Amino acid sequence: FPPVTENFAGVIHGLNASHLTDLVIQRSKRMILDTLGVGLLGTSTEVFHKVIQYSKTYSSDASSTVWGHLDFRLPPLYAAFVNGVAVHSMDFDDTWHPATHPSGAVLPALIALSEALTQKQKFSGPDLLLAFNVGIEVQGRLMRFSSEASNIPKRFHPPAIVGTMGSAAAVAKLLALDPFKCKEALAVAASYAGAPMANVATPTKPLHIGNAAKHGLEAACLASLGLQGNKQILDMESGLGAFYTDYAPQVLPTLKSYSWLLDQQDVAIKRFPAHLGTHWVADAASSVRKHLVKGDNSLPINGIEKIVAKVPDVGYMNRPFPNSEHEARHSFQFAVCTALLDGSISVQSFSDQNISRPQLRELLKKTQLEHPPDNKPSFEILYCEVNVTLQDGNVFSERCDTFYGHWRKPLSAEDLKKKFHSNASQVLSAEAAEGIMETVDNLEKVEDCSVLNAFLKGTQSAKVLEKICSF
């Protein structure tokens, strides 16, 4: 077998649109639509506005769209950065393989670059689909290099590692780099990779995705100009192996019979903006609530003696009294109590007003976590059980093994579109949101991806709409 880095570079270079299966195209289009929706919604967040202020400093030669903004543009590197931050600003983006957020690291970089190069080259929908899937595939394959990567991470945030590499691979594909330069793109990207888990549940965490998009784009562009790195970056423990304790690199399948990971496993798409682990908790708690609340009545808080959530032992998710939206998005306790109190969790659940509700604080005081030894911190096998003990001695219990939205139980096409429309309509007109949905739905037929950028910044011109109607 050839060295792993050389093998990866060769496959990245050699894959073409004919390798994409119908199932991969269908699933990746769902991912693209969802990512655009959560990214548009994320443009309303505080952290997004802060990185906008920072990036405006570099906008003298602006050439790429900032999603949801008609008033200014940025150089592609910073457009990729701020749009990537927007995608992860609410922890609302997809999860896969299982412990990374794959789309936000790749799509903003590709869209920014494709727009910046429109004067020199026109990129089609199939071009975008192929490059996107190369970026997703590389992330999934790299995560198979370590059994440690199968569990909820403890040291490094995966998107900052494999997301950076995936972004570089995707951009290398879009730029049609030769195998030598694909190899260099991976080598350069590895020196940008990594972010500690300590910044989880803080406003800094979204920067991990923004940086992955920006750094991958920058690495591939530098490689295209001849910048060189270690030719065996994926083979060495001192290369990408520096991030994992049990690193075991593997070659990719041959091009003749290539098998995509996205063909084998769907992606998890979230119904509400919080850490994926909270979605099991929310479904279990919502089921328990049905035993406690009849009709339009409210939850009998005073009648509850104790709430127990049986969850895996994930230290950064044990937040008994979260005081910010970012802490609440990473709190098993908050998810349990909010679902019990309201019956569901939504974007509005994480407002300061809802987080500080006296009723919620009262429930949080009664909540405790337990960690059964069989409940492992892996998105593939974890479960959640919620038990509510009443003052009269009655106990109600429900368990969730697979929440709705998990790759084993994916969102329906209708619910995915409802989520996108709900998110995008907070920023764009109904016509622009509809234009994005139509464009993504027909992406393999789109001749010029600039139509997507036009809608993303809010344009609804008759000319753009005419392009959509021509599908």
Side-chain angles (χ1 to χ4, degrees), residues 190-371:
S191 280
Y192 284 102
M197 288 298 293
N199 271 327
V200 165
T202 76
T204 291
K205 187 189 176 204
L207 272 62
H208 298 175
I209 298 289
N211 280 330
K214 173 180 177 288
H215 290 157
L217 172 55
E218 193 164 44
C221 289
L222 289 170
S224 74
L225 297 172
L227 186 67
Q228 298 182 24
N230 192 299
K231 307 296 187 290
Q232 294 183 306
I233 200 70
L234 301 185
D235 298 77
M236 303 171 66
E237 286 192 5
S238 59
L240 202 69
F243 298 104
Y244 300 102
T245 57
D246 59 348
Y247 192 68
Q250 306 159 32
V251 297
L252 294 172
T254 63
L255 289 172
K256 191 172 292 186
S257 56
Y258 199 84
S259 174
W260 299 85
L261 293 180
L262 195 56
D263 240 338
Q264 302 168 31
Q265 178 187 295
D266 207 340
V267 70
I269 292 178
K270 299 176 180 179
R271 289 172 294 141
F272 60 86
H275 186 279
L276 198 71
T278 64
H279 289 247
W280 279 270
V281 175
D283 275 16
S286 296
S287 297
V288 172
R289 188 180 192 271
K290 294 174 183 177
H291 299 294
L292 306 175
V293 178
K294 304 302 178 185
D296 296 328
N297 294 329
S298 58
L299 184 74
I301 297 174
N302 292 334
I304 294 176
E305 178 181 326
K306 181 174 64 173
I307 302 167
V308 176
K310 297 181 179 180
V311 295
D313 187 3
V314 182
Y316 68 83
M317 296 293 293
N318 184 359
R319 299 179 186 273
F321 298 99
N323 290 312
S324 71
E325 61 169 300
H326 298 282
E327 290 183 359
R329 297 184 201 282
H330 296 82
S331 168
F332 282 132
Q333 294 93 330
F334 179 85
V336 170
C337 295
T338 299
L340 283 173
L341 194 58
D342 302 330
S344 63
I345 303 179
S346 67
V347 172
Q348 290 72 33
S349 299
F350 300 92
S351 67
D352 290 342
Q353 181 180 358
N354 279 326
I355 291 172
S356 61
R357 285 181 291 174
Q359 305 99 311
L360 181 67
R361 294 280 151 173
E362 187 61 31
L363 282 178
L364 288 169
K365 292 177 186 176
K366 301 180 179 186
T367 302
Q368 61 190 62
L369 303 184
E370 291 184 359
H371 308 301

Side-chain angles (χ1 to χ4, degrees), residues 370-444:
E370 291 184 359
H371 308 301
D374 69 331
N375 200 354
K376 305 299 182 183
S378 164
F379 291 141
E380 192 66 59
I381 60 175
L382 76 81
Y383 65 87
C384 174
E385 184 179 309
V386 173
N387 301 319
V388 175
T389 303
L390 303 182
Q391 299 282 2
D392 62 12
N394 283 320
V395 179
F396 296 96
S397 178
E398 290 288 349
R399 171 169 163 154
C400 176
D401 292 297
T402 304
F403 67 86
Y404 179 46
H406 190 277
W407 48 81
R408 291 192 300 266
K409 196 175 181 181
L411 289 188
S412 67
E414 181 182 2
D415 285 343
L416 177 68
K417 289 182 177 181
K418 282 181 180 177
K419 176 188 173 183
F420 170 80
H421 191 269
S422 175
N423 288 336
S425 63
Q426 302 297 311
V427 180
L428 303 177
S429 67
E431 291 84 0
E434 185 65 31
I436 292 173
M437 283 199 291
E438 288 292 323
T439 303
V440 173
D441 196 38
N442 293 279
L443 201 52
E444 65 269 41

